[in-house]
Amino acid sequence: MNTFSPRRILLIEPDYKATYPPLGLMKLSTLHKKAGDEVHFLKGTSSGVRDQHWDRIYISTLFTFQWKKSLETIQFYKNNKSNAPIIVGGVLASLLKNEIEELTGVEVHFGLYEEIDRLTPDYNLTNDVGQYSLHDASIGYMTRGCVNKCKFCAVPKIEPSFIPYISLDNQLSKDKKDLVLFDNNVLASEEFPRIVQDLVSNNFGKGARIGKCQRHVDFNQGVDARLLNEENMALLSTLAIKPLRIAFDDIKLEKIYTEAVLLAKKFGIKHLSNYILFNYMDTPEDFYRRLRINVELNEQHNLSIFSFPMKYVPLDAVDRKYVGMHWTPQQLRGIQCILHATHGVVGPKLKFFNAAFGKHEDEFKYIIDQPEELIFYRSNLLPYDDYINSMNISTYA
C-alpha cells in the first residue's frame, strides 16, 4: 500500500519592490514539485496562509537595505502554527547571515544552493504577481562568479569561484520569447565562443524570431569594457542582443568605455545601456561627466544609450542612508528627485539631459543642492545663469 503523503511547501518573498521574480524560489518550486510536494508561493505576509499546515517554509531575500521588511517577514512566519522549519536564503541572508541567525534563530543558507542551481525555474509560480517586469523571458546563467574582486560588489563573497561555462540545457522555457542572463562577467570566460554558439543554437542568433516576434537576449548585469575587443564584439554581434549593457563605474575608464561603445557601433550594435555607479569613490562632477559622455556619444554617433544610475551602499548596510565621502545627503536626495521624474533612467536626448541635469557640472551641482520642491517644480527654480549673475560672479570664476 502506497502511504506517500506530499509535503506542503510555502515559498515566501518579502513584500518589497522587486523588478525580477525570485529565481531561487522558482527553482525550489521545481525541486519540490518533482518530488511530488504541494507548493505555494506568496509575496508578503498573510496570517491566513501562515496558520495553515506547512512542512517547510522558504523565505528569499534580496538587497541588504531591505533589512527591515525582510526581518519582519522572517519573524512573522517563524510563529507558524505547524512549527515548520524555516530556511532563509538570497543575497541579504548571505551577507548578514550571523545577524539573522542571532535575531531569529532560523536556518540561513549561505551563497548558491547547488542542489537547485541547474534546475529549470518554475515560471508559473509567480504568474499572479503583476509587479515583475519579466513576463516573456527565460532567466538563467551561463557562468557563475566573477574574476574581479571589486570591493563594492557582493559577488566575490557569495560566488567566490568562477565557473566559466554552464549549459543552457534545462534553463529555457519553450513558452518564453526572450532570454535574460544574469552572468556577472561573461567576457571573463575562456568558453565565451562556446557560450555564443549555444545561444545561436537555441535560436538567439541575430534576427531570431518566434513567429512574427523578434527575440532578444540580454546580458543583464553588463559586460566589462576592459575585456571587450574585436574578437568578442564580433561574437556578440552574432546574437539577438538588445541592449548591450556596459558598466561605466569610474571616470578613469572613460577612454576604455568610449572605445567599447564605438567598437559596438562598428559591429552594428547601436542599442546600448549602462550602469552608472555613484556615491562610492566618485564625485558629483565625475558622475555628471559619465552621464554626459553617453548623451554626447548618442548625438555624435547616432546611437541609443540609456543610463541607469545606481547608488552605492555598503554591503552590510541595512538602509540606503550611506553618504559617500565626496557627497552630501542633499546632493543624493537631489539626484533621486531628478531620477524620480525620469523613472530612474537617463535617456539619450541632449536637450532633455541639459534640462534635467544641467548644461555643465556647476549647473548640475547647483540643481541637486536645491530643496526637493524646487527640483520637482523646476519652473520655480532660478536659472543657473541668473543665479550666477545675482551673485555678481563669473560662471567660471
Side-chain angles (χ1 to χ4, degrees):
M1 180 178 178
N2 186 359
T3 60
F4 171 77
S5 178
R7 294 175 296 177
R8 299 192 79 234
I9 306 299
L10 179 60
L11 306 177
I12 297 293
E13 181 181 48
D15 192 23
Y16 43 60
K17 184 177 180 180
T19 302
Y20 304 114
L23 187 59
L25 295 184
M26 293 160 73
K27 292 182 179 182
L28 280 167
S29 177
T30 298
L31 176 74
H32 281 284
K33 285 182 178 179
K34 281 186 175 182
D37 295 331
E38 180 183 334
V39 178
H40 296 263
F41 170 76
L42 181 69
K43 188 163 178 66
T45 57
S46 165
S47 56
V49 171
R50 178 194 61 189
D51 293 339
Q52 297 177 33
H53 171 77
W54 302 106
D55 293 291
R56 185 177 296 178
I57 299 173
Y58 295 92
I59 300 176
S60 65
T61 63
L62 195 52
F63 301 118
T64 59
F65 55 76
Q66 294 161 331
W67 166 262
K68 184 174 184 294
K69 183 158 287 189
S70 299
L71 187 65
E72 289 173 351
T73 303
I74 295 168
Q75 297 282 25
F76 180 86
Y77 286 101
K78 181 184 175 182
N79 297 320
N80 68 86
K81 289 186 176 180
S82 307
N83 199 30
I86 293 177
I87 302 174
V88 182
V91 176
L92 179 152
S94 295
L95 294 175
L96 300 175
K97 181 178 187 295
N98 293 338
E99 289 83 349
I100 292 176
E101 289 180 340
E102 289 176 7
L103 288 170
T104 68
V106 304
E107 178 183 346
V108 174
H109 182 89
F110 180 89
L112 299 180
Y113 209 138
E114 300 292 347
E115 185 180 4
I116 67 169
D117 200 41
R118 304 295 187 267
L119 295 179
T120 305
D122 178 4
Y123 291 101
N124 294 321
L125 184 70
T126 58
N127 280 346
D128 295 333
V129 181
Q131 72 167 246
Y132 304 124
S133 65
L134 291 184
H135 297 290
D136 199 15
S138 297
I139 309 172
Y141 291 85
M142 298 196 74
T143 64
R144 277 290 196 179
C146 181
V147 296
N148 298 328
K149 305 298 179 184
C150 301
K151 293 182 180 180
F152 58 79
C153 182
V155 173
K157 295 180 179 292
I158 299 175
E159 302 177 33
S161 299
F162 185 67
I163 301 173
Y165 175 78
I166 299 172
S167 171
L168 274 178
D169 294 346
N170 301 322
Q171 296 195 67
L172 297 176
S173 168
K174 296 180 180 179
D175 299 327
K176 304 295 184 182
K177 178 174 70 71
D178 300 324
L179 172 62
V180 174
L181 294 168
F182 285 99
D183 299 57
N184 297 295
N185 196 345
V186 70
L187 293 184
S189 173
E190 62 205 24
E191 300 284 352
F192 185 64
R194 183 182 178 190
I195 289 171
V196 171
Q197 183 55 52
D198 272 13
L199 291 167
V200 172
S201 298
N202 281 279
N203 195 27
F204 285 102
K206 186 175 183 178
R209 307 182 78 87
I210 290 185
K212 296 182 180 181
C213 297
Q214 179 75 48
R215 303 193 89 179
H216 296 118
V217 59
D218 175 11
F219 290 99
N220 189 266
Q221 301 304 98
V223 297
D224 190 337
R226 295 166 294 187
L227 299 179
L228 278 169
N229 54 43
E230 294 258 347
E231 182 180 359
N232 54 36
M233 188 66 82
L235 289 171
L236 283 168
S237 71
T238 67
L239 299 175
I241 190 164
K242 184 179 181 182
L244 174 61
R245 302 180 190 269
I246 307 175
F248 191 11
D249 293 328
D250 192 331
I251 193 63
K252 295 175 183 176
L253 297 174
E254 176 179 352
K255 184 175 184 293
I256 293 173
Y257 172 78
T258 301
E259 289 174 348
V261 170
L262 296 181
L263 186 61
K265 179 190 176 184
K266 176 181 177 180
F267 283 90
I269 301 175
K270 294 186 175 182
H271 294 278
L272 300 105
S273 173
N274 61 28
Y275 299 113
I276 303 283
L277 182 71
F278 69 99
N279 192 44
Y280 183 51
M281 303 298 291
D282 61 320
T283 66
E285 291 87 350
D286 292 344
F287 173 64
Y288 175 87
R289 182 59 191 154
R290 282 179 286 151
L291 293 179
R292 190 169 190 88
I293 285 168
N294 283 314
V295 179
E296 291 172 348
L297 286 169
N298 286 324
E299 293 285 319
Q300 296 165 10
H301 299 282
N302 193 29
L303 299 171
S304 179
I305 307 174
F306 287 81
S307 297
F308 289 84
M310 301 184 70
K311 179 186 173 185
Y312 169 77
V313 295
L315 297 181
D316 58 354
V318 296
D319 56 42
R320 305 196 73 176
K321 296 178 181 179
Y322 174 78
V323 179
M325 66 174 68
H326 301 298
W327 294 82
T328 69
Q330 174 58 49
Q331 290 172 334
L332 294 174
R333 178 57 185 159
I335 289 174
Q336 294 308 122
C337 290
I338 297 173
L339 293 177
H340 178 80
T342 65
H343 302 286
V345 181
V346 182
K349 300 299 183 182
L350 181 59
K351 182 178 180 180
F352 178 82
F353 178 81
N354 285 342
F357 290 90
K359 297 184 288 296
H360 46 72
E361 289 95 335
D362 290 335
E363 184 171 12
F364 168 66
K365 290 184 69 176
Y366 166 68
I367 292 171
I368 61 175
D369 271 327
Q370 303 306 308
E372 61 183 75
E373 292 81 6
L374 291 180
I375 298 175
F376 278 125
Y377 304 103
R378 195 71 61 83
S379 60
N380 296 325
L381 178 62
L382 184 67
Y384 177 74
D385 291 339
D386 291 345
Y387 163 75
I388 292 298
N389 292 332
S390 71
M391 299 293 290
N392 195 28
I393 59 175
S394 168
T395 302
Y396 300 103

